[in-house]
Amino acid sequence: MTTTTPEAAIADARERIDALDDRIIGLIQERMAVSAVVQQTRIASGGRRVHLSREMEILARYREALGKPGTGLAMTLLELCRGRV
């Protein structure tokens, strides 16, 4: 039976967190690129850069999944992907 020290368990967990953060950052960068395509296509076809009803759907989705803090996270993602409105 192998016993793990608290320090080793914490170090392992931190490595996993760092790896997860790297994946999250990569996904956010991918989301930003896809959002740019949507915005450019919408503008090129005579539409507006921001689609507010779609943003409300995104806010609701994050709030339902993560609670009130999810709204703040979604707002940050929206700002990263479309800029300040």
Side-chain angles (χ1 to χ4, degrees):
M1 180 174 168
T2 306
T3 345
T4 303
T5 66
E7 293 80 12
I10 290 169
D12 289 345
R14 285 182 176 162
E15 281 183 35
R16 288 182 60 206
I17 287 171
D18 290 345
L20 288 167
D21 284 343
D22 289 342
R23 288 172 48 198
I24 291 167
I25 290 167
L27 289 169
I28 291 169
Q29 290 169 331
E30 182 179 350
R31 189 189 195 289
M32 291 169 69
V34 172
S35 182
V37 170
V38 170
Q39 289 177 49
Q40 291 165 1
T41 304
R42 192 180 303 123
I43 290 168
S45 65
R48 295 169 48 168
R49 181 174 65 96
V50 176
H51 193 264
L52 294 179
S53 64
R54 172 67 177 144
E55 289 196 358
M56 295 308 290
E57 291 172 10
I58 293 166
L59 290 170
R61 181 177 181 190
Y62 276 77
R63 184 179 55 252
E64 289 168 12
L66 303 172
K68 186 177 178 183
T71 303
L73 177 58
M75 288 296 296
T76 299
L77 281 171
L78 291 171
E79 186 176 330
L80 283 168
C81 291
R82 54 107 162 102
R84 290 186 182 267
V85 177

